[in-house]
DNA sequence: ACTCAATTTAAACAGTTGTTTGAAACATTT
DNA sequence: AAATGTTTCAAACAACTGTTTAAATTGAGT
């Protein structure tokens, strides 16, 4: 049996994730948790401390549910990349209803609060480091770090897009599309797209030029 | 001289963009516009209609400020792609402070309201169509439409990322990075990355397989 | 100067917000 | 059973929300 405290955190997670910190009301939270209005202040002091506790809990559950995958020693890096992308996509738009934990984190990314700095160090940075370690096997060892990071962000950005703009994509989708936007298909596309870009990038010479806008032609 | 009505819309835009619809208060808006509290209801009826009017205004200003670029007839598609990416990045993280118009649109993307459907048809879809027309020159004509769209979304996703996760990126950045994340450098990277992926993709045979999870190995 | 409509204003309204309170209900120990 | 500490509850609190009202102010037009 869940204690009242835990039940409140769970309800608070859902409500905060859906409505945001300011718009969520303690009365909604307590009603969802079948608890009295005063319970929030009794167990957590005030609304903000409940929010901080909720974000921590979200981080805890996510890292428990999606541990960093321990691949066999000599797995092909391309396989690892596909696994990473699939896992990230699954977390983003996983299954049917998005778990509130992920939704809360997304809110923190978009509009960081006090609860954010801890999340960056303990959740987002390890994920980035993992991706960078995979990329380091795919890119020439001479690749400058800032280019490695740009590639990593390009990959993450492709995944994040379907979380951010999923509703808009649906509005603009044709009947034909719908069957081609499953998680597996998207992961497949993103992996291929990125692998192609990487293998090509690694052969092109980058002179780290700053006064060389390359094919600049912003908006004529 | 701005009329009161226009001044209210302008203030409302800033407040709505920063705090969201629910959290923004008409008193904050009116104070910023140096108008009386009742002015909102007098000119717009209620808060929601003011919001709708504000979103419309944002769309109007953006399309005026960033018109679809009329390239010379036979411009190289790669050049067009770079222009598209640069313009999109500039709109996303342009200059110093983001204009409230863009911020409002982003909010609609992330959490669509009643004001959204019109935006999709009149603003987002034309942008997507433009990108698709550029891609059609870069991809083999036999490329299925869903694959074209996936490529388009991969490009848009890379741009969107720096808008969405810009704060987080800064938190995780090293001193080395900072000089390598200007708009031009990012546009350069994204363009090269995507061009490489596209040219590679166009050579790979896609059998449109559904029961073929390719290199599936999600999280062992 | 008078009229009449459009605009602005301060005050008030009803409803919701987070939080507090003090007594009841419960559990555990003496 | 009595006493003690913990948890729940309905009610109330002050502050804030969007909205309304009715009186003031303004600005032409005659």
């Amino acid at each position: 049996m869940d204690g009242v405290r835990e039940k409140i955190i769970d309800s608070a997670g859902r409500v905060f994730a859906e409505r945001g910190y300011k718009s969520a009301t303690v009365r909604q939270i307590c009603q969802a948790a079948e608890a009295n209005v005063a319970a929030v202040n009794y167990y957590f002091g005030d609304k903000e401390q409940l929010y901080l506790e909720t974000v921590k809990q979200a981080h805890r559950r996510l890292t428990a549910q999606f541990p960093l995958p321990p691949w066999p020693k000599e797995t092909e890096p391309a396989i690892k990349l596909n696994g990473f992308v699939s896992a990230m996509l699954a977390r983003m738009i996983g299954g049917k209803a998005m778990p509130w934990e992920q939704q809360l984190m997304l809110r923190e990314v978009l509009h960081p609060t006090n609860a954010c700095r801890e999340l960056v160090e303990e959740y987002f940075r390890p994920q980035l480091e993992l991706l960078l370690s995979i990329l380091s096997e795919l890119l020439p060892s001479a690749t400058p770090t800032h280019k490695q990071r740009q590639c990593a962000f390009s990959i993450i950005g492709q995944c994040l897009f379907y979380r951010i703009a999923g509703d808009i994509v649906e509005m603009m989708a044709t009947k034909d599309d719908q069957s081609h936007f499953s998680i597996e298909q998207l992961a497949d596309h993103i992996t291929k797209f990125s692998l192609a870009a990487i293998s090509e990038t690694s052969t092109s010479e980058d002179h780290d030029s700053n006064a060389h806008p390359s094919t600049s032609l912003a908006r004529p």
Side-chain angles (χ1 to χ4, degrees), chain A:
Chain A
M1 302 300 163
D2 277 354
V4 181
R5 208 188 115 101
E6 283 68 31
K7 206 142 83 169
I8 288 183
I9 288 187
D10 195 75
S11 299
R14 291 174 217 282
V15 180
F16 280 138
E18 189 179 338
R19 327 240 328 171
Y21 174 76
K22 191 73 188 298
S23 297
T25 76
V26 307
R27 282 177 170 84
Q28 287 170 5
I29 293 170
C30 289
Q31 186 176 354
E34 296 170 353
N36 188 275
V37 214
V40 161
N41 303 83
Y42 178 76
Y43 282 103
F44 301 94
D46 60 3
K47 187 186 177 184
E48 183 172 4
Q49 281 185 263
L50 167 61
Y51 180 76
L52 295 183
E53 213 59 50
T54 306
V55 173
K56 281 184 189 172
Q57 178 78 355
H59 157 245
R60 245 178 270 133
R61 291 197 200 181
L62 276 182
T63 51
Q65 191 176 358
F66 300 98
L68 299 191
W71 280 292
K73 248 308 176 31
E74 289 299 325
T75 311
E76 279 211 34
I79 304 285
K80 292 196 221 172
L81 182 61
N82 193 17
F84 183 90
V85 169
S86 293
M88 183 161 229
L89 271 179
R91 262 174 289 173
M92 296 282 184
I93 54 182
K96 39 215 86 169
M98 170 130 93
W100 61 263
E101 293 91 341
Q102 194 70 28
Q103 213 165 337
L104 247 192
M105 309 282 272
L106 246 292
R107 271 192 192 277
E108 280 295 319
V109 172
L110 198 62
H111 210 312
T113 73
N114 297 333
C116 197
R117 199 163 300 269
E118 192 183 341
L119 276 190
V120 169
E121 295 307 322
E122 297 194 19
Y123 185 74
F124 293 113
R125 194 188 292 277
Q127 292 282 331
L128 177 62
E129 295 296 339
L130 172 61
L131 177 55
L132 284 173
S133 77
I134 297 174
L135 287 180
S136 70
E137 299 183 60
L138 290 162
L139 288 166
S141 56
T143 308
T145 62
H146 72 88
K147 203 153 198 53
Q148 294 182 30
R149 296 173 92 86
Q150 286 173 346
C151 288
F153 291 151
S154 283
I155 294 170
I156 297 174
Q158 291 177 73
C159 298
L160 198 56
F161 173 81
Y162 291 96
R163 168 67 195 100
I164 296 297
D167 296 339
I168 302 290
V169 167
E170 268 191 24
M171 289 190 197
M172 297 194 302
T174 67
K175 294 172 186 174
D176 170 63
D177 292 327
Q178 301 180 355
S179 57
H180 296 283
F181 279 73
S182 68
I183 289 186
E184 284 107 11
Q185 305 239 210
L186 290 182
D188 214 60
H189 161 74
I190 293 176
T191 306
K192 282 180 184 169
F193 190 94
S194 303
L195 278 177
I198 287 171
S199 65
E200 183 83 7
T201 298
S202 64
T203 66
S204 95
E205 290 295 322
D206 180 80
H207 303 286
D208 197 359
S209 56
N210 45 6
H212 166 258
S214 73
T215 54
S216 103
L217 186 94
R219 293 183 305 102

